[in-house]
Amino acid sequence: MREYILHGKRVDCNEWAEGYLNYNKTRKQYYIMDDVNAFPIAVHKETVGQYTGINDKNGRKIFEGDIVIAVIYRCYGC
């Protein structure tokens, strides 16, 4: 089963927060709620991305909007 986890950069210190997304209509602000801390963390709307279900070679989660570098080797004359 796919995990529905999102992340976004925090408004206060620009570090990544990971958890579940909430939106406050009166303040027009997005918040990330995690399982450890019960308080909402304000995040920038542009940085919110959902977990794709894929990990990189180091085991880190890849989220939508992440920049991934792929190296493709071609063998000419093989």
Side-chain angles (χ1 to χ4, degrees):
M1 185 172 161
R2 183 175 173 178
E3 295 179 83
Y4 290 99
I5 300 174
L6 291 106
H7 78 162
K9 276 200 172 186
R10 296 172 59 144
V11 173
D12 57 353
C13 63
N14 277 339
E15 292 183 4
W16 290 101
E18 188 176 300
Y20 306 99
L21 187 66
N22 286 332
Y23 179 69
N24 187 327
K25 289 182 182 179
T26 57
R27 292 186 178 188
K28 297 182 180 177
Q29 180 66 51
Y30 287 89
Y31 295 94
I32 295 285
M33 301 282 292
D34 61 354
D35 292 335
V36 179
N37 300 321
F39 60 92
I41 301 168
V43 294
H44 295 286
K45 174 186 172 184
E46 308 83 38
T47 62
V48 174
Q50 184 175 349
Y51 176 51
T52 60
I54 302 170
N55 295 339
D56 66 1
K57 68 177 184 175
N58 298 322
R60 292 183 298 200
K61 296 176 183 171
I62 297 176
F63 291 84
E64 292 177 354
D66 286 353
I67 299 172
V68 179
I69 298 172
V71 178
I72 300 172
Y73 294 100
R74 293 185 182 178
C75 180
Y76 295 103
C78 292

Coordinates of all heavy atoms in Angstrom, one line a residue:
M1 N 0.8 -1.2 0.0 CA 0.0 0.0 0.0 C 0.9 1.2 0.0 O 1.9 1.3 0.7 CB -0.9 0.0 1.2 CG -1.9 1.1 1.3 SD -3.0 0.8 2.7 CE -3.6 2.4 2.8
R2 N 0.5 2.2 -0.8 CA 1.3 3.5 -0.9 C 1.1 4.4 0.3 O 0.0 4.5 0.8 CB 0.9 4.2 -2.2 CG 1.6 5.4 -2.4 CD 1.3 6.0 -3.8 NE 1.9 7.3 -3.9 CZ 1.8 8.1 -5.0 NH1 1.1 7.7 -6.0 NH2 2.4 9.2 -5.0
E3 N 2.2 4.9 0.8 CA 2.1 5.9 1.9 C 1.8 7.3 1.3 O 2.3 7.7 0.3 CB 3.5 6.0 2.5 CG 4.0 4.8 3.2 CD 5.3 5.0 3.9 OE1 5.4 5.5 5.0 OE2 6.3 4.6 3.2
Y4 N 0.8 7.9 1.9 CA 0.5 9.3 1.5 C 1.1 10.3 2.5 O 0.6 10.7 3.5 CB -1.0 9.5 1.5 CG -1.7 8.7 0.4 CD1 -2.3 7.5 0.6 CD2 -1.7 9.2 -0.9 CE1 -2.8 6.8 -0.4 CE2 -2.2 8.5 -2.0 CZ -2.8 7.3 -1.7 OH -3.3 6.6 -2.8
I5 N 2.4 10.6 2.2 CA 3.2 11.5 3.0 C 3.6 12.7 2.1 O 3.9 12.5 0.9 CB 4.5 10.8 3.5 CG1 4.1 9.6 4.4 CG2 5.3 11.8 4.3 CD1 5.3 8.8 4.8
L6 N 3.5 13.9 2.7 CA 3.9 15.1 1.9 C 5.0 15.8 2.7 O 5.2 15.6 3.9 CB 2.7 16.0 1.8 CG 1.6 15.5 0.8 CD1 0.5 15.0 1.6 CD2 1.2 16.5 -0.2
H7 N 5.7 16.6 2.0 CA 6.7 17.5 2.6 C 6.7 18.9 2.1 O 6.1 19.1 1.0 CB 8.1 16.8 2.5 CG 8.8 17.0 1.2 ND1 10.2 16.9 1.1 CD2 8.4 17.4 0.0 CE1 10.5 17.1 -0.2 NE2 9.4 17.4 -0.9
G8 N 7.3 19.8 2.8 CA 7.3 21.2 2.4 C 8.3 21.9 3.2 O 8.7 21.5 4.3
K9 N 8.8 23.0 2.7 CA 9.8 23.9 3.5 C 9.1 24.7 4.5 O 8.1 25.4 4.1 CB 10.6 24.7 2.5 CG 11.8 24.0 1.9 CD 12.8 25.0 1.4 CE 14.0 24.2 1.0 NZ 15.1 25.0 0.6
R10 N 9.6 24.7 5.7 CA 9.0 25.5 6.8 C 9.1 27.0 6.5 O 10.1 27.5 5.9 CB 9.7 25.2 8.1 CG 9.5 23.7 8.5 CD 10.3 23.4 9.7 NE 10.0 24.3 10.8 CZ 9.9 23.9 12.1 NH1 10.3 22.6 12.4 NH2 9.6 24.7 13.0
V11 N 8.1 27.8 6.9 CA 8.1 29.2 6.8 C 9.2 29.9 7.7 O 9.9 30.8 7.3 CB 6.7 29.8 7.0 CG1 6.7 31.3 7.0 CG2 5.7 29.3 6.0
D12 N 9.3 29.3 8.9 CA 10.2 30.0 9.9 C 11.7 29.7 9.7 O 12.5 30.6 10.0 CB 9.8 29.5 11.3 CG 9.8 28.0 11.5 OD1 10.0 27.3 10.5 OD2 9.6 27.6 12.7
C13 N 12.1 28.5 9.2 CA 13.5 28.3 9.2 C 14.0 27.6 7.9 O 15.1 27.2 7.7 CB 13.9 27.4 10.3 SG 13.2 25.8 10.4
N14 N 13.1 27.4 6.9 CA 13.4 26.8 5.6 C 13.9 25.4 5.7 O 14.7 25.0 4.8 CB 14.3 27.7 4.8 CG 13.6 28.8 4.1 OD1 12.4 28.7 3.8 ND2 14.3 29.9 3.7
E15 N 13.6 24.7 6.7 CA 14.0 23.3 6.8 C 12.8 22.5 6.3 O 11.6 22.9 6.3 CB 14.3 22.9 8.2 CG 15.6 23.5 8.7 CD 16.0 23.0 10.1 OE1 15.2 22.1 10.6 OE2 17.0 23.5 10.6
W16 N 13.0 21.2 5.9 CA 11.9 20.4 5.4 C 11.1 19.8 6.5 O 11.7 19.3 7.5 CB 12.5 19.3 4.5 CG 13.0 19.7 3.2 CD1 14.3 19.9 2.9 CD2 12.2 20.1 2.1 NE1 14.4 20.4 1.6 CE2 13.2 20.5 1.1 CE3 10.9 20.2 1.8 CZ2 12.8 21.0 -0.2 CZ3 10.5 20.6 0.5 CH2 11.4 21.0 -0.4
A17 N 9.8 19.8 6.4 CA 8.9 19.2 7.3 C 8.2 18.1 6.6 O 7.8 18.2 5.4 CB 7.9 20.2 7.9
E18 N 7.9 16.9 7.2 CA 7.3 15.8 6.6 C 6.1 15.3 7.4 O 6.2 15.2 8.6 CB 8.4 14.7 6.4 CG 7.9 13.5 5.6 CD 9.1 12.6 5.4 OE1 10.1 12.9 4.9 OE2 8.9 11.4 5.9
G19 N 5.0 15.0 6.7 CA 3.8 14.5 7.4 C 2.6 14.6 6.6 O 2.6 14.3 5.4
Y20 N 1.5 15.1 7.1 CA 0.2 15.2 6.5 C -0.1 16.6 6.3 O 0.1 17.5 7.1 CB -0.8 14.5 7.3 CG -0.5 13.0 7.6 CD1 0.1 12.7 8.8 CD2 -0.6 12.0 6.6 CE1 0.5 11.4 9.1 CE2 -0.2 10.7 6.9 CZ 0.3 10.4 8.2 OH 0.7 9.1 8.4
L21 N -0.7 16.9 5.1 CA -1.0 18.3 4.8 C -2.4 18.8 5.3 O -3.4 18.1 5.1 CB -0.9 18.5 3.3 CG -1.0 19.9 2.7 CD1 0.2 20.7 3.1 CD2 -1.2 19.9 1.2
N22 N -2.4 20.0 5.8 CA -3.7 20.7 6.2 C -3.6 22.1 5.6 O -2.6 22.6 5.4 CB -3.8 20.8 7.7 CG -4.1 19.4 8.4 OD1 -4.7 18.6 7.8 ND2 -3.7 19.2 9.6
Y23 N -4.9 22.6 5.4 CA -5.0 24.0 4.9 C -5.9 24.7 5.8 O -7.0 24.3 6.1 CB -5.5 23.9 3.5 CG -5.7 25.3 2.9 CD1 -4.6 26.1 2.6 CD2 -7.0 25.8 2.6 CE1 -4.8 27.4 2.0 CE2 -7.1 27.1 2.1 CZ -6.0 27.8 1.8 OH -6.2 29.1 1.2
N24 N -5.5 25.9 6.2 CA -6.3 26.8 7.1 C -6.9 27.9 6.1 O -6.2 28.7 5.6 CB -5.5 27.5 8.2 CG -6.3 28.2 9.1 OD1 -7.3 28.8 8.8 ND2 -5.9 28.3 10.4
K25 N -8.3 27.8 5.9 CA -8.9 28.8 5.0 C -8.9 30.2 5.5 O -8.8 31.1 4.7 CB -10.4 28.3 4.8 CG -10.5 27.1 4.0 CD -11.9 26.7 3.7 CE -12.1 25.4 3.0 NZ -13.5 25.0 2.7
T26 N -9.0 30.4 6.8 CA -9.1 31.8 7.3 C -7.7 32.5 7.2 O -7.6 33.6 6.9 CB -9.6 31.8 8.8 OG1 -8.7 31.0 9.6 CG2 -11.0 31.3 8.9
R27 N -6.6 31.7 7.5 CA -5.3 32.3 7.4 C -4.7 32.1 6.0 O -3.6 32.7 5.7 CB -4.4 31.7 8.4 CG -4.7 32.0 9.8 CD -3.7 31.5 10.7 NE -4.0 31.9 12.1 CZ -3.2 31.7 13.1 NH1 -2.1 31.1 13.0 NH2 -3.6 32.1 14.3
K28 N -5.3 31.3 5.1 CA -4.8 31.0 3.8 C -3.4 30.5 3.9 O -2.5 31.0 3.2 CB -4.9 32.2 2.9 CG -6.4 32.6 2.6 CD -6.5 33.7 1.7 CE -8.0 34.1 1.5 NZ -8.2 35.2 0.7
Q29 N -3.2 29.5 4.7 CA -1.8 28.9 5.0 C -1.9 27.4 5.0 O -2.8 26.8 5.5 CB -1.3 29.4 6.4 CG 0.0 28.9 6.8 CD 1.1 29.5 5.9 OE1 1.2 30.7 5.6 NE2 1.9 28.7 5.3
Y30 N -0.8 26.8 4.4 CA -0.7 25.3 4.4 C 0.1 24.9 5.6 O 1.1 25.6 6.0 CB 0.0 24.9 3.1 CG -0.9 25.0 1.9 CD1 -1.0 26.1 1.2 CD2 -1.7 23.9 1.6 CE1 -1.8 26.2 0.1 CE2 -2.5 23.9 0.5 CZ -2.6 25.1 -0.3 OH -3.4 25.2 -1.4
Y31 N -0.2 23.8 6.2 CA 0.5 23.3 7.4 C 0.8 21.8 7.2 O 0.0 21.1 6.6 CB -0.4 23.4 8.7 CG -0.7 24.8 9.0 CD1 -1.8 25.5 8.6 CD2 0.2 25.5 9.8 CE1 -2.1 26.8 9.0 CE2 0.0 26.8 10.2 CZ -1.2 27.5 9.8 OH -1.4 28.8 10.1
I32 N 1.9 21.4 7.7 CA 2.3 19.9 7.8 C 2.1 19.5 9.2 O 2.6 20.1 10.1 CB 3.7 19.7 7.3 CG1 3.9 20.1 5.8 CG2 4.2 18.3 7.6 CD1 3.3 19.1 4.9
M33 N 1.4 18.4 9.4 CA 1.2 17.7 10.7 C 2.0 16.4 10.7 O 1.8 15.6 9.7 CB -0.3 17.5 11.0 CG -1.1 18.7 10.9 SD -1.0 19.7 12.4 CE -1.7 18.6 13.6
D34 N 2.8 16.2 11.6 CA 3.5 14.9 11.7 C 3.0 14.1 12.9 O 2.3 14.6 13.7 CB 5.0 15.1 11.8 CG 5.5 15.9 13.0 OD1 4.7 16.4 13.7 OD2 6.7 16.0 13.2
D35 N 3.4 12.8 13.0 CA 2.9 12.0 14.1 C 3.6 12.2 15.4 O 3.1 12.0 16.4 CB 3.2 10.5 13.7 CG 2.2 10.1 12.5 OD1 1.2 10.7 12.4 OD2 2.6 9.1 11.8
V36 N 4.8 12.8 15.3 CA 5.6 13.0 16.6 C 5.1 14.2 17.3 O 4.8 14.2 18.5 CB 7.1 13.1 16.2 CG1 7.9 13.4 17.5 CG2 7.6 11.9 15.5
N37 N 5.1 15.4 16.6 CA 4.6 16.6 17.2 C 3.1 16.8 16.8 O 2.7 16.7 15.7 CB 5.4 17.8 16.6 CG 6.9 17.6 16.9 OD1 7.3 17.2 18.0 ND2 7.8 18.0 16.0
A38 N 2.4 17.2 17.8 CA 0.9 17.4 17.6 C 0.6 18.8 17.1 O -0.6 19.1 16.9 CB 0.2 17.1 18.9
F39 N 1.5 19.7 16.9 CA 1.2 21.0 16.5 C 1.5 21.2 15.0 O 2.4 20.6 14.4 CB 2.0 22.1 17.3 CG 3.5 21.9 17.2 CD1 4.2 22.6 16.3 CD2 4.2 21.1 18.1 CE1 5.6 22.5 16.2 CE2 5.6 21.0 18.0 CZ 6.3 21.7 17.0
P40 N 0.8 22.1 14.3 CA 1.0 22.3 12.9 C 2.2 23.1 12.6 O 2.6 24.0 13.3 CB -0.3 23.0 12.4 CG -0.8 23.7 13.6 CD -0.4 22.8 14.8
I41 N 2.9 22.8 11.5 CA 4.1 23.5 11.0 C 3.7 24.2 9.7 O 3.4 23.6 8.7 CB 5.3 22.6 10.8 CG1 5.6 21.8 12.1 CG2 6.5 23.3 10.3 CD1 6.5 20.7 11.9
A42 N 3.8 25.6 9.7 CA 3.5 26.3 8.5 C 4.6 26.1 7.4 O 5.8 26.1 7.7 CB 3.4 27.8 8.8
V43 N 4.1 25.8 6.2 CA 5.0 25.6 5.1 C 4.7 26.5 3.9 O 3.6 26.9 3.7 CB 5.0 24.1 4.6 CG1 5.6 23.2 5.7 CG2 3.7 23.6 4.2
H44 N 5.7 26.7 3.0 CA 5.5 27.4 1.8 C 4.7 26.5 0.8 O 5.0 25.4 0.6 CB 6.8 27.8 1.1 CG 7.6 28.8 1.9 ND1 7.3 30.1 2.0 CD2 8.7 28.6 2.7 CE1 8.2 30.7 2.8 NE2 9.0 29.8 3.2
K45 N 3.6 27.1 0.2 CA 2.8 26.4 -0.8 C 3.6 25.8 -2.0 O 3.3 24.7 -2.4 CB 1.7 27.3 -1.2 CG 0.8 26.7 -2.3 CD -0.2 27.7 -2.8 CE -0.9 27.2 -4.0 NZ -1.8 28.2 -4.6
E46 N 4.5 26.6 -2.5 CA 5.3 26.2 -3.7 C 6.2 25.0 -3.4 O 6.6 24.3 -4.4 CB 6.1 27.3 -4.2 CG 5.4 28.6 -4.4 CD 5.3 29.4 -3.1 OE1 6.2 29.4 -2.2 OE2 4.2 30.0 -2.9
T47 N 6.5 24.7 -2.2 CA 7.4 23.6 -1.9 C 6.8 22.3 -1.5 O 7.5 21.3 -1.3 CB 8.4 24.0 -0.8 OG1 7.6 24.2 0.4 CG2 9.2 25.2 -1.1
V48 N 5.5 22.2 -1.5 CA 4.8 21.0 -1.1 C 4.8 20.0 -2.2 O 4.6 20.3 -3.3 CB 3.3 21.3 -0.7 CG1 2.5 20.0 -0.4 CG2 3.2 22.3 0.5
G49 N 5.2 18.7 -1.8 CA 5.3 17.6 -2.7 C 4.9 16.3 -2.1 O 5.1 16.1 -0.9
Q50 N 4.3 15.4 -2.8 CA 3.8 14.1 -2.3 C 4.9 13.1 -2.5 O 5.6 13.1 -3.6 CB 2.5 13.7 -3.0 CG 2.0 12.4 -2.4 CD 0.6 12.1 -3.0 OE1 0.0 12.9 -3.7 NE2 0.1 10.9 -2.7
Y51 N 5.0 12.2 -1.6 CA 6.0 11.0 -1.7 C 5.5 10.1 -2.8 O 4.4 9.8 -3.0 CB 5.9 10.3 -0.4 CG 6.8 9.0 -0.3 CD1 8.1 9.0 -0.7 CD2 6.3 7.8 0.1 CE1 8.9 7.9 -0.7 CE2 7.0 6.7 0.2 CZ 8.3 6.7 -0.2 OH 9.1 5.6 -0.2
T52 N 6.5 9.8 -3.7 CA 6.2 9.0 -4.9 C 6.2 7.5 -4.6 O 5.7 6.7 -5.5 CB 7.3 9.2 -6.0 OG1 8.5 8.9 -5.5 CG2 7.3 10.7 -6.4
G53 N 6.6 7.1 -3.5 CA 6.7 5.6 -3.2 C 8.0 5.0 -3.6 O 8.2 3.8 -3.5
I54 N 8.9 5.8 -4.1 CA 10.2 5.4 -4.6 C 11.3 6.0 -3.7 O 11.3 7.2 -3.3 CB 10.4 5.8 -6.0 CG1 9.3 5.2 -6.9 CG2 11.8 5.3 -6.5 CD1 9.3 5.8 -8.3
N55 N 12.3 5.2 -3.4 CA 13.5 5.7 -2.6 C 14.7 5.7 -3.6 O 14.8 4.9 -4.5 CB 13.8 4.8 -1.4 CG 12.7 4.8 -0.4 OD1 11.9 5.7 -0.4 ND2 12.6 3.8 0.4
D56 N 15.6 6.6 -3.3 CA 16.9 6.7 -4.1 C 17.8 5.6 -3.6 O 17.5 4.8 -2.7 CB 17.5 8.1 -4.0 CG 18.0 8.5 -2.7 OD1 17.9 7.7 -1.7 OD2 18.5 9.6 -2.5
K57 N 19.0 5.5 -4.2 CA 20.0 4.5 -3.8 C 20.5 4.5 -2.4 O 20.9 3.6 -1.9 CB 21.2 4.5 -4.8 CG 22.0 5.7 -4.6 CD 23.2 5.7 -5.6 CE 24.2 6.8 -5.3 NZ 25.4 6.7 -6.1
N58 N 20.3 5.7 -1.7 CA 20.7 5.9 -0.3 C 19.5 5.6 0.6 O 19.7 5.8 1.8 CB 21.3 7.3 -0.1 CG 22.5 7.5 -1.0 OD1 23.3 6.6 -1.1 ND2 22.6 8.7 -1.5
G59 N 18.4 5.3 0.1 CA 17.2 5.0 0.9 C 16.4 6.2 1.3 O 15.4 6.1 2.0
R60 N 16.7 7.4 0.7 CA 15.9 8.6 1.0 C 14.7 8.6 0.1 O 14.7 8.2 -1.0 CB 16.7 9.8 0.7 CG 17.9 10.0 1.8 CD 18.6 11.3 1.5 NE 19.2 11.2 0.2 CZ 20.2 11.9 -0.3 NH1 20.7 12.8 0.5 NH2 20.7 11.8 -1.5
K61 N 13.6 9.1 0.6 CA 12.3 9.2 -0.1 C 12.4 10.2 -1.2 O 13.0 11.3 -1.0 CB 11.2 9.6 0.9 CG 10.9 8.5 1.9 CD 9.9 9.0 2.9 CE 9.7 7.9 4.0 NZ 8.9 8.4 5.1
I62 N 11.8 9.9 -2.4 CA 11.7 10.9 -3.5 C 10.3 11.4 -3.5 O 9.3 10.7 -3.5 CB 12.1 10.2 -4.8 CG1 13.5 9.7 -4.8 CG2 11.9 11.1 -6.0 CD1 13.9 8.9 -6.0
F63 N 10.2 12.8 -3.5 CA 8.9 13.4 -3.5 C 8.7 14.1 -4.9 O 9.7 14.3 -5.6 CB 8.9 14.5 -2.5 CG 8.9 14.0 -1.1 CD1 10.0 13.6 -0.4 CD2 7.7 13.8 -0.4 CE1 10.0 13.1 0.9 CE2 7.6 13.3 0.9 CZ 8.8 12.9 1.5
E64 N 7.4 14.3 -5.3 CA 7.1 15.1 -6.5 C 7.8 16.4 -6.4 O 7.8 17.1 -5.4 CB 5.6 15.2 -6.6 CG 4.9 13.9 -6.9 CD 3.4 14.1 -7.0 OE1 2.9 15.2 -6.7 OE2 2.7 13.1 -7.2
G65 N 8.4 16.8 -7.6 CA 9.0 18.1 -7.6 C 10.5 18.1 -7.3 O 11.2 19.0 -7.4
D66 N 11.0 16.9 -6.8 CA 12.4 16.8 -6.5 C 13.2 16.7 -7.8 O 12.7 16.2 -8.8 CB 12.7 15.5 -5.7 CG 12.3 15.7 -4.2 OD1 11.9 16.8 -3.8 OD2 12.4 14.6 -3.5
I67 N 14.4 17.2 -7.8 CA 15.3 17.2 -8.9 C 16.1 15.9 -8.8 O 16.8 15.7 -7.8 CB 16.2 18.4 -9.0 CG1 15.3 19.7 -9.1 CG2 17.2 18.3 -10.1 CD1 16.1 20.9 -9.0
V68 N 16.0 15.1 -9.8 CA 16.7 13.8 -9.8 C 17.7 13.8 -11.0 O 17.4 14.1 -12.1 CB 15.7 12.6 -10.0 CG1 16.5 11.3 -10.0 CG2 14.7 12.6 -8.9
I69 N 19.0 13.4 -10.7 CA 20.0 13.4 -11.8 C 20.2 11.9 -12.2 O 20.4 11.1 -11.3 CB 21.3 14.0 -11.3 CG1 21.1 15.4 -10.9 CG2 22.4 13.8 -12.3 CD1 22.3 16.1 -10.2
A70 N 20.1 11.6 -13.4 CA 20.3 10.3 -13.9 C 21.4 10.3 -14.9 O 21.6 11.2 -15.8 CB 19.0 9.8 -14.6
V71 N 22.3 9.3 -14.8 CA 23.4 9.2 -15.7 C 23.2 8.0 -16.6 O 22.9 6.9 -16.1 CB 24.8 9.0 -14.9 CG1 25.9 8.8 -15.8 CG2 25.0 10.1 -13.9
I72 N 23.2 8.2 -17.9 CA 23.0 7.2 -18.9 C 24.3 6.9 -19.6 O 24.9 7.9 -20.2 CB 21.8 7.6 -19.8 CG1 20.6 7.9 -19.0 CG2 21.6 6.6 -20.9 CD1 19.5 8.5 -19.9
Y73 N 24.7 5.7 -19.6 CA 25.9 5.3 -20.3 C 25.5 4.7 -21.7 O 24.6 3.8 -21.7 CB 26.7 4.3 -19.5 CG 27.3 4.9 -18.3 CD1 26.7 4.7 -17.0 CD2 28.4 5.7 -18.3 CE1 27.2 5.3 -15.9 CE2 28.9 6.3 -17.2 CZ 28.3 6.1 -16.0 OH 28.8 6.6 -14.8
R74 N 26.2 5.1 -22.7 CA 25.9 4.5 -24.0 C 27.2 3.9 -24.5 O 28.3 4.5 -24.4 CB 25.4 5.5 -25.0 CG 24.1 6.0 -24.7 CD 23.6 7.0 -25.8 NE 22.3 7.5 -25.5 CZ 21.7 8.3 -26.2 NH1 22.2 8.8 -27.3 NH2 20.5 8.8 -25.8
C75 N 27.1 2.7 -25.1 CA 28.3 2.1 -25.6 C 28.2 2.1 -27.1 O 27.3 1.4 -27.7 CB 28.3 0.6 -25.1 SG 29.8 -0.3 -25.7
Y76 N 29.0 2.9 -27.8 CA 29.0 3.0 -29.2 C 30.0 2.0 -29.8 O 31.2 1.9 -29.3 CB 29.4 4.4 -29.7 CG 28.4 5.4 -29.3 CD1 28.6 6.3 -28.3 CD2 27.2 5.5 -30.0 CE1 27.6 7.2 -27.9 CE2 26.2 6.4 -29.7 CZ 26.4 7.3 -28.6 OH 25.5 8.2 -28.3
G77 N 29.6 1.2 -30.7 CA 30.5 0.2 -31.3 C 30.6 -1.1 -30.5 O 31.5 -1.9 -30.7
C78 N 29.6 -1.4 -29.6 CA 29.6 -2.6 -28.9 C 28.9 -3.7 -29.7 O 28.1 -3.6 -30.5 CB 28.9 -2.5 -27.6 SG 29.7 -1.4 -26.4

